[in-house]
Amino acid sequence: IYALGAQWTDHLYGGGFKMGIPKAQLSLNEKPFFEQCLERMPFNHWRYVNCYMDHPVFEETDKKNIKLFIDDGNPLGIYPVAKNKGRFLVENGKSYSFKLVVNDFEGHSDSVTIKIIGANEGFEILKEPITKQHYDKGISKYFYPLKSSELTFGDELFSIKVNIPARVLYDTIDFRIGKSIENKGGNVILTKINGNQVYDIMDSNIPVHDTLWVAFNPEKHIALADKYLIVRLTASGSKKPEGGKWNEGWLIAGTKFLGRFYMDIDTTLPEIKQVKFSQRKFSAIVTDNLSGIKSITTTVDGKWILTEYETKENLIFGIIPNFIESGRHQFELIIEDERGNKNIFKQTILL
């Protein structure tokens, strides 16, 4: 079974500006086969753009392929014509003529015609989907977008459970969990961060619509359990804390991503640096190495002071109000991360 995708661009007045294509019509052997009409999108459906474009292809090749077919979990009502949801069977020796016509907002159009001839020989068949990876002793199960699904994987270190509620996935997926591996110097090795095994929970190329649940259950007792959290490893290698709460031996975290996950401990205090005072103004740089900053408390002589936090710059700042009279005072700044690690800065200031 096959389906088509296409890339298109609408240039505005021949310049560098680009517009969208609101209408595309696909015919098969001169008969209407598939049509999409995207003139407007309800605000509450904006995330469904994830099933309008082929995300695995975009993530791996940076090419924006628009799907000329409908995913199993796609609820968008923008398809006036959709024979077999845009999918078709190619039989040996038969010819299939497709014509794609696209229209811009002003009614200008362009078209392309392609012909497909069924043949059992003469080309190489893609053996694996673009999102498939090789796993070390992994496990798989079909997940369906309109049903809640759950899968548990276990090894000598952890039991790992994934629960995905209905309507979180956009399409039917051969869902997989397994140990993450990498190629170093021609050798395939297990991926570890700080000695912690990383696990592939499907693939980060697969978008999801809402929260799913990832849970780790250690096979052995661990000390300082409240300091542990689930961490997601991005394609670029960045660490993204997903947190987690303990429930009957499971550390459970909600996330809106698939990809690589592992469990790690955070016992490091947040860092406070570059504390500056200018009359009644104050500022500082605050960072945390893993779990993320949970709270910021600023006081002068024990009285709470409003403090603003610019997360992108790791910058906190504020103004000591006038109800704090001029003179010598005790300034205190407390930074606590998501795992209860606190750093306290104190300084005597003169207003």
Side-chain angles (χ1 to χ4, degrees):
I1 298 177
Y2 294 83
L4 299 179
Q7 301 175 45
W8 49 59
T9 302
D10 180 36
H11 294 280
L12 182 63
Y13 300 122
F17 296 102
K18 297 180 180 180
M19 301 287 287
I21 294 292
K23 189 174 184 179
Q25 296 172 298
L26 181 68
S27 62
L28 170 58
N29 297 332
E30 300 184 350
K31 294 181 180 180
F33 182 71
F34 188 86
E35 179 180 340
Q36 63 180 34
C37 189
L38 187 60
E39 294 182 343
R40 58 180 60 130
M41 176 77 72
F43 182 77
N44 63 334
H45 278 176
W46 70 270
R47 274 188 69 89
Y48 282 109
V49 72
N50 287 329
C51 56
Y52 173 73
M53 185 176 70
D54 196 326
H55 263 263
V57 172
F58 174 70
E59 291 292 333
E60 297 194 11
T61 67
D62 203 33
K63 295 180 179 179
K64 295 181 179 180
N65 277 6
I66 305 303
K67 296 178 180 179
L68 299 175
F69 58 93
I70 303 176
D71 288 332
D72 291 341
N74 182 349
L76 296 176
I78 62 172
Y79 307 102
V81 179
K83 300 289 182 64
N84 302 321
K85 291 189 174 182
R87 295 169 172 84
F88 56 93
L89 180 66
V90 175
E91 299 182 31
N92 184 43
K94 290 189 176 182
S95 177
Y96 304 82
S97 179
F98 288 92
K99 183 177 181 179
L100 175 63
V101 181
V102 296
N103 298 86
D104 66 11
F105 286 96
E106 291 296 323
H108 305 123
S109 66
D110 195 8
S111 65
V112 62
T113 300
I114 61 172
K115 181 173 288 189
I116 298 175
I117 300 176
N120 291 334
E121 300 178 353
F123 61 93
E124 183 179 354
I125 298 176
L126 185 65
K127 296 181 180 179
E128 297 178 350
I130 194 169
T131 56
K132 187 174 179 63
Q133 297 184 12
H134 296 285
Y135 295 89
D136 180 70
K137 299 179 181 179
I139 191 171
S140 67
K141 175 184 176 182
Y142 275 100
F143 279 18
Y144 301 93
L146 303 183
K147 296 181 180 180
S148 177
S149 301
E150 187 171 282
L151 180 63
T152 302
F153 167 81
D155 63 10
E156 70 281 3
L157 301 174
F158 297 98
S159 292
I160 301 169
K161 183 188 299 182
V162 178
N163 180 278
I164 301 184
R167 300 190 180 278
V168 169
L169 295 174
Y170 295 112
D171 202 4
T172 302
I173 295 177
D174 182 12
F175 201 92
R176 300 178 295 276
I177 305 176
K179 292 181 178 179
S180 182
I181 61 176
E182 56 188 300
N183 193 315
K184 284 191 175 181
N187 297 318
V188 176
I189 62 174
L190 295 174
T191 302
K192 295 186 178 183
I193 304 294
N194 300 327
N196 301 299
Q197 176 61 49
V198 180
Y199 295 87
D200 287 318
I201 297 179
M202 200 52 205
D203 192 283
S204 61
N205 290 342
I206 304 297
V208 297
H209 192 70
D210 210 336
T211 302
L212 59 98
W213 303 93
V214 175
F216 280 66
N217 187 345
E219 293 298 327
K220 298 180 180 179
H221 172 75
I222 58 174
L224 301 175
D226 61 331
K227 298 292 184 180
Y228 278 85
L229 69 152
I230 295 174
V231 184
R232 176 171 54 87
L233 199 62
T234 68
S236 63
S238 299
K239 302 173 184 177
K240 300 294 183 180
E242 298 292 350
K245 294 182 179 180
W246 289 98
N247 184 20
E248 298 181 354
W250 292 87
L251 181 60
I252 306 172
T255 178
K256 290 187 176 182
F257 297 90
L258 298 170
R260 296 181 293 172
F261 293 81
Y262 66 99
M263 200 173 91
D264 205 350
I265 190 171
D266 183 2
T267 57
T268 304
L269 300 183
E271 187 175 4
I272 304 172
K273 57 186 179 182
Q274 298 181 32
V275 181
K276 298 179 181 179
F277 298 93
S278 177
Q279 297 180 344
R280 289 182 174 270
K281 296 179 179 179
F282 64 89
S283 64
I285 300 297
V286 296
T287 56
D288 188 72
N289 75 318
L290 187 57
S291 63
I293 292 175
K294 177 182 179 181
S295 66
I296 299 168
T297 305
T298 307
T299 61
V300 174
D301 297 338
K303 298 177 181 178
W304 181 82
I305 304 298
L306 176 65
T307 303
E308 297 190 56
Y309 180 29
E310 181 57 58
T311 56
K312 291 183 179 179
E313 304 294 332
N314 298 317
L315 174 68
I316 65 167
F317 57 93
I319 300 176
I320 299 172
N322 291 328
F323 69 77
I324 305 292
E325 298 179 355
S326 299
R328 194 176 298 274
H329 301 276
Q330 186 69 22
F331 178 91
E332 183 175 276
L333 173 64
I334 304 175
I335 307 297
E336 182 179 2
D337 69 14
E338 291 287 350
R339 284 302 173 258
N341 304 302
K342 291 183 180 180
N343 195 353
I344 302 175
F345 173 88
K346 295 182 180 181
Q347 181 171 321
T348 300
I349 59 174
L350 186 62
L351 299 177

